[in-house]
Amino acid sequence: MTRRFVVRLVLLVAAGVLSFLLLDPIRLRLRPPAASAVIVDRLRTTRELIGLIVEVAEPRTTVKSGKLGGIEVVLLVRGQAHLGVDLSQMLIVSVDETTHTILLSLPPPTVRIAKVDPQQTLFLRHQRYGLWTLVQVEKVDREVVARALADAQNVVTATGADPRHQPAAMRAIEQALTDIASQAGWTIDVYWQPSTPGSP
Amino acid sequence: MHIVFLILLVLFIVLLIASCADQTLARGLW
């Protein structure tokens, strides 16, 4: 009687242990992923985050001169520079499950897109001086205008890369990240990496 | 009177050629 009881007991315990061993991995797999993992995953799938769009309106003078005269073209460059961060360079410093805070390390915002607005860009001045006023060689005019227009893209990029736009871009990106995380009840702190020399 | 006019004309033509030549030479050089 006692022996049968012991055998049953042993079988019961064995069945319990077996079911625990079998079901636990399944239970683990079925458990929803942690909120922090969802947020990090979402950030990883977002390739870049634009924080600030800088409206550019800058005059740019292009001068072509020879020995006896020259041409001066002043172009008012209008366009937009999109300042943002490349999230592929994002580093996760720490994930604190107790305070629900993720600390990210991000590179400083750079100009991701520089667009010249051709409809708003205009020539303020197109003037010859010196002996070049006597004969107008049109090919020279075309060359100077082409050079001025080609330079417009650089003007937009350079204006966007101005350090005075950095704090606003950083604040906007931090705000966007906070918005993403706050939906899951988390907060994101950003550590901005110092800009490496040579990068824009 | 004619000689003055002729000198001015020649000078003007020289300046025209110089202007044209200078612009042509300056092309493509930045």
Side-chain angles (χ1 to χ4, degrees):
Chain A
M1 188 64 189
T2 336
R3 204 176 148 192
R4 268 178 77 182
F5 175 73
V6 169
V7 169
R8 274 184 187 173
L9 193 70
V10 167
L11 278 175
L12 201 69
V13 169
V17 168
L18 201 66
S19 64
F20 179 78
L21 286 175
L22 280 175
L23 289 176
D24 200 46
I26 298 169
R27 194 168 54 86
L28 278 177
R29 212 167 294 158
L30 288 177
R31 194 165 58 183
S36 59
V38 173
I39 295 165
V40 169
D41 212 43
R42 185 161 169 205
L43 293 180
R44 288 217 185 281
T45 51
T46 312
R47 269 188 45 234
E48 58 183 30
L49 201 61
I50 301 296
L52 186 70
I53 297 174
V54 180
E55 293 289 339
V56 178
E58 286 282 321
R60 171 58 66 102
T61 310
T62 308
V63 178
K64 173 87 188 166
S65 58
K67 304 282 180 204
L68 307 168
I71 303 175
E72 188 187 50
V73 166
V74 181
L75 190 68
L76 180 67
V77 181
R78 286 178 192 264
Q80 290 180 330
H82 295 228
L83 279 173
V85 283
D86 182 3
L87 287 184
S88 67
Q89 290 179 38
M90 169 183 82
L91 296 173
I92 295 154
V93 179
S94 66
V95 177
D96 193 337
E97 296 281 347
T98 51
T99 57
H100 282 203
T101 306
I102 300 172
L103 179 59
L104 294 179
S105 171
L106 288 174
T110 52
V111 178
R112 310 300 304 168
I113 306 165
K115 287 194 290 191
V116 178
D117 190 341
Q119 285 186 324
Q120 299 290 318
T121 297
L122 47 98
F123 285 98
L124 293 182
R125 194 192 310 161
H126 185 152
Q127 210 172 357
R128 285 165 173 274
Y129 58 89
L131 266 192
W132 286 31
T133 45
L134 277 182
V135 182
Q136 296 199 358
V137 180
E138 273 189 30
K139 281 180 182 171
V140 184
D141 288 274
R142 280 206 292 273
E143 199 181 276
V144 179
V145 169
R147 171 58 68 109
L149 289 173
D151 214 27
Q153 186 80 17
N154 299 336
V155 173
V156 175
T157 309
T159 311
D162 194 309
R164 69 196 153 101
H165 298 306
Q166 291 277 319
M170 286 172 173
R171 273 200 307 277
I173 289 162
E174 284 167 9
Q175 186 59 49
L177 290 170
T178 305
D179 289 347
I180 291 171
S182 64
Q183 292 166 5
W186 281 65
T187 50
I188 291 182
D189 286 339
V190 180
Y191 164 74
W192 292 101
Q193 296 161 12
S195 56
T196 49
S199 70
Chain B
M1 192 62 200
H2 286 290
I3 194 78
V4 173
F5 178 75
L6 205 68
I7 288 167
L8 285 175
L9 187 70
V10 169
L11 194 66
F12 183 67
I13 291 168
V14 166
L15 287 178
L16 282 184
I17 293 167
S19 168
C20 213
D22 192 35
Q23 288 180 58
T24 310
L25 285 173
R27 269 184 61 211
L29 297 173
W30 283 90

